[in-house]
Amino acid sequence: MKRREFLKYSSLIIPASAVIGTINPFTKKIFAAEKNNKSFSLSVITDQPSKTIHLIEQAIKYSKYGKDNLQFTEYSLRGGHIGDIAYVKSQSLIDYHKATDEFSQSLCESANSLSLPKIMHDPVMLRFSSYQTLLEPDKVNIFRGDTLVSQLSLNKDLEHYRVEGLKGYIDVRVKEKSVKIISATCKHKTCMNMEPISKPGQNLICIPNQISLTVAGKSTSGVDSITF
Amino acid sequence: MYKLSVKKYLMGTTVETTARSTDINYCKKALLAAYKEMQRVEDLLSCQKDSSEISKINRAAGIYPVKVSFETLSILKRAIDYSKKYNGIFDVTIGPLSSLWGFNEDSEIILPENQTILKLIRLVNYKGIIINEQDTSVFLKDNGMSIDLGGIAKGYAIDRGSLVLKKMGINNFILNAGGDIYVSGTKDGEDLWKVGIKHPRNSNELVAEFNLKDYAVATSGDYERFKIIDGKRYHHILDPRTGYPGTLSESSTILATTAEEADATATYIFLLGWKKALSNKDIDFPLLILAADGTIHYNQTFAKKYNLKIIN
């Protein structure tokens, strides 16, 4: 992921797809948090996940945000990326290098300790957030195995996008804010039978190719998990 | 308190765990240990993996007994118990028919010849599993027989993964492996975790939602692996009595103390259909069934104890 893409991605406050849902009482807390100006998110691309987590945990612990009701997710990324920290507060990207508040200064120290920004290979993306604000899903995350290999916008129709898998490939189509698998090299084609997905947390899986597509965003169904 | 979500591709599906913890690195360690345990179970029991003990038993069917681990022997004994309890409507020797239809493998789905089904259905009989507890060996009586633990192995893996998390002190989590779930503790110390049931014919909708604590839920449905042939839906939940996919339900959701039991029972109830399931007083699991005509049926145990709310 290029640095510009990473920062753009982070500033949109797109929650990690693996997080499922929040129920109403929690939603109330979210609004309360916004009112108290305690809402934020941090996305970090790093090749030292344990150290990064420790540093960020410490920074959060002693910040005004505190560590209550925080979300954390982690994805593996593939290939070359620029490692960095993106700090978003009230849906605005903050330049923590220039900001003078204590939390930004802690982030500066963390970035220095991790030698960020720097180019790294096969890093992970960590995401800490006080809430998930994006009600309308606008991205689909594409995984091969456990690795995030691509992201597509649901806001832009795409006739055809190929994802290489374990045994071949699948082709996906984005249309009217939903995504569907339109062809696959697997033999039983079960993934092609699945209905298009458009809501946060919904998945499409091609088992032979070990490819899964998940709509990112805060689950609006009000449940923590779905049985099927 | 952090809410962590870690997702992993395992057992041919996405396994997703959300857990509450004050220490991210420790919780991550526990989640990875749980996934490692689930991977171990898959390697031991999957009939799609040549190296698994189940595959070894299947390859030696009708030829010689195969010595297996105590763990495999135990799960096979429980699988036989489920098969007995459910009068063969759930049968772990469904393997020959599963392979014929091919829903669990990467093969093209074509409607099998009826004669082939009738021939293979004779090989489906859990009574043909000969267990020798003395030397922990398993023998399949007839050549061509094969065990398919697809109906319970995922549930067992979830139970094992959950146990690892609890042993490591992670007590508040929700572990979802391809729709089969174990729920532990609470969401935030007060509120219970809330689970939704996916609508079988509209993936964007939920049928119902309910609360769970320290309990498992599994759903069997005809909509995850299927193919429409000449306007008729053929899916992966095969009825051992007919050799064809069950036709009485669109989905069945069962709550049980373990994911293994929920998994096996969901398959059985799916094939049994709502009329028999709800009129049988021996079936005391909380359950919800979407019948083949789309109507929703559930028992009072589910409605009263788990705050069941029907949505669609």
Side-chain angles (χ1 to χ4, degrees):
Chain A
M1 188 178 288
K2 288 175 187 166
R3 189 162 188 269
R4 183 179 290 179
E5 286 173 10
F6 167 57
L7 295 176
K8 189 182 167 197
Y9 170 87
S10 304
S11 65
L12 287 169
I13 316 185
I14 296 167
S17 62
V19 176
I20 307 167
T22 46
I23 62 170
N24 290 336
F26 188 68
T27 312
K28 283 176 193 163
K29 286 170 194 164
I30 288 169
F31 290 127
E34 280 182 324
K35 212 173 176 179
N36 293 332
N37 196 24
K38 279 191 171 183
S39 51
F40 78 104
S41 77
L42 277 177
S43 301
V44 189
I45 291 181
T46 177
D47 53 2
Q48 301 177 75
S50 295
K51 184 178 175 185
T52 307
I53 288 168
H54 178 71
L55 289 169
I56 301 293
E57 269 187 316
Q58 292 304 309
I60 291 172
K61 188 176 173 181
Y62 297 109
S63 74
K64 63 179 179 180
Y65 300 121
K67 56 192 285 187
D68 286 336
N69 288 316
L70 295 180
Q71 311 272 347
F72 171 82
T73 49
E74 178 177 331
Y75 295 140
S76 301
L77 300 175
R78 197 172 59 103
H81 296 261
I82 295 179
D84 205 349
I85 298 174
Y87 170 32
V88 175
K89 188 173 137 187
S90 302
Q91 301 194 38
S92 302
L93 189 63
I94 306 294
D95 185 350
Y96 60 88
H97 293 288
K98 290 182 183 163
T100 54
D101 62 286
E102 263 185 58
F103 187 57
S104 293
Q105 285 175 8
S106 300
L107 294 180
C108 261
E109 285 167 19
S110 301
N112 289 339
S113 176
L114 295 162
S115 307
L116 299 178
K118 69 172 176 184
I119 295 170
M120 49 187 71
H121 195 74
D122 293 346
V124 296
M125 183 193 274
L126 311 175
R127 191 165 191 284
F128 304 76
S129 61
S130 58
Y131 64 97
Q132 294 171 279
T133 55
L134 195 71
L135 297 175
E136 292 296 324
D138 86 336
K139 281 264 190 305
V140 59
N141 289 334
I142 302 175
F143 296 87
R144 183 166 56 243
D146 301 325
T147 305
L148 180 67
V149 290
S150 190
Q151 290 176 314
L152 299 177
S153 169
L154 283 176
N155 291 326
K156 197 177 169 187
D157 285 1
L158 185 63
E159 190 61 27
H160 170 266
Y161 183 80
R162 180 157 293 180
V163 187
E164 299 295 332
L166 191 70
K167 291 185 173 178
Y169 60 84
I170 64 163
D171 289 327
V172 302
R173 175 178 294 158
V174 179
K175 194 177 176 186
E176 294 168 355
K177 294 195 171 188
S178 65
V179 61
K180 181 172 173 54
I181 298 175
I182 54 169
S183 69
T185 52
C186 62
K187 289 177 186 165
H188 58 45
K189 317 283 184 199
T190 301
C191 55
M192 290 168 58
N193 284 332
M194 293 179 176
E195 288 179 54
I197 56 170
S198 57
K199 292 193 173 178
Q202 286 186 317
N203 288 296
L204 292 175
I205 299 176
C206 178
I207 296 171
N209 280 309
Q210 294 197 1
I211 298 170
S212 61
L213 288 76
T214 307
V215 179
K218 177 192 162 196
S219 168
T220 50
S221 63
V223 298
D224 300 298
S225 200
I226 294 174
T227 178
F228 53 87
Chain B
M1 187 70 82
Y2 287 97
K3 196 155 85 173
L4 279 85
S5 281
V6 176
K7 185 170 156 179
K8 191 159 176 63
Y9 192 89
L10 268 179
M11 303 184 289
T13 190
T14 302
V15 181
E16 208 161 20
T17 308
T18 303
R20 280 201 304 128
S21 174
T22 50
D23 184 334
I24 294 178
N25 274 326
Y26 180 76
C27 190
K28 254 181 68 183
K29 197 175 154 189
L31 289 171
L32 295 179
Y35 288 156
K36 199 174 169 188
E37 173 65 2
M38 293 172 80
Q39 179 70 63
R40 186 191 67 77
V41 171
E42 186 191 10
D43 292 345
L44 189 71
L45 302 177
S46 172
C47 61
Q48 269 99 46
K49 295 200 170 188
D50 285 347
S51 57
S52 76
E53 290 195 339
I54 296 300
S55 292
K56 285 174 188 166
I57 297 168
N58 290 344
R59 281 198 297 272
I63 309 170
Y64 55 86
V66 173
K67 193 169 166 55
V68 295
S69 62
F70 180 73
E71 186 177 15
T72 300
L73 198 78
S74 300
I75 195 168
L76 276 176
K77 280 168 65 182
R78 292 201 301 279
I80 292 168
D81 288 345
Y82 290 124
S83 304
K84 274 184 198 163
K85 186 179 167 188
Y86 298 148
N87 302 314
I89 296 175
F90 172 89
D91 194 317
V92 284
T93 58
I94 194 82
L97 288 170
S98 306
S99 297
L100 177 69
W101 283 91
F103 283 106
N104 298 334
E105 296 151 24
D106 185 20
S107 53
E108 192 182 348
I109 307 299
I110 48 170
L111 191 59
E113 294 286 333
N114 189 47
Q115 277 191 329
T116 314
I117 290 176
L118 293 176
K119 191 179 152 196
L120 292 181
I121 209 168
R122 290 200 291 267
L123 295 168
V124 179
N125 185 355
Y126 66 90
K127 291 172 186 165
I129 306 175
I130 314 295
I131 286 183
N132 185 335
E133 297 209 42
Q134 301 299 317
D135 64 357
T136 65
S137 71
V138 181
F139 178 55
L140 297 180
K141 212 172 69 170
D142 298 317
N143 198 348
M145 276 184 81
S146 66
I147 293 166
D148 180 352
L149 287 174
I152 61 170
K154 192 164 72 175
Y156 176 64
I158 292 170
D159 292 333
R160 292 295 308 175
S162 300
L163 191 65
V164 168
L165 289 175
K166 286 180 180 177
K167 275 188 175 172
M168 293 183 74
I170 307 296
N171 292 309
N172 298 291
F173 63 87
I174 184 159
L175 195 166
N176 186 334
D180 291 355
I181 297 168
Y182 186 83
V183 175
S184 178
T186 60
K187 183 188 172 77
D188 58 11
E190 292 174 15
D191 298 314
L192 297 179
W193 297 100
K194 191 178 281 187
V195 178
I197 301 173
K198 186 175 172 179
H199 197 292
R201 295 292 179 266
N202 185 351
S203 62
N204 287 318
E205 302 292 338
L206 298 178
V207 175
E209 60 182 40
F210 54 95
N211 292 118
L212 267 193
K213 184 184 179 186
D214 302 328
Y215 227 59
V217 55
T219 295
S220 288
D222 66 1
Y223 46 93
E224 286 297 310
R225 278 172 271 168
F226 71 95
K227 186 169 184 183
I228 307 286
I229 302 172
D230 296 332
K232 192 173 173 189
R233 178 183 292 254
Y234 295 91
H235 57 85
H236 75 292
I237 307 169
L238 303 174
D239 191 329
R241 298 169 296 183
T242 64
Y244 285 85
T247 55
L248 298 176
S249 316
E250 288 180 353
S251 79
S252 66
T253 298
I254 310 297
L255 273 55
T257 50
T258 66
E260 177 191 297
E261 186 161 37
D263 201 2
T265 309
T267 306
Y268 164 63
I269 297 294
F270 181 96
L271 295 170
L272 192 66
W274 72 271
K275 283 183 184 167
K276 287 185 179 170
L278 290 178
S279 61
N280 186 339
K281 286 177 182 164
D282 290 335
I283 300 171
D284 55 359
F285 295 94
L287 57 88
L288 183 146
I289 303 162
L290 260 94
D293 63 2
T295 53
I296 302 171
H297 307 269
Y298 54 91
N299 55 15
Q300 286 307 304
T301 323
F302 200 162
K304 285 178 183 169
K305 278 183 77 178
Y306 300 94
N307 197 23
L308 177 71
K309 186 178 156 196
I310 304 296
I311 299 169
N312 283 296

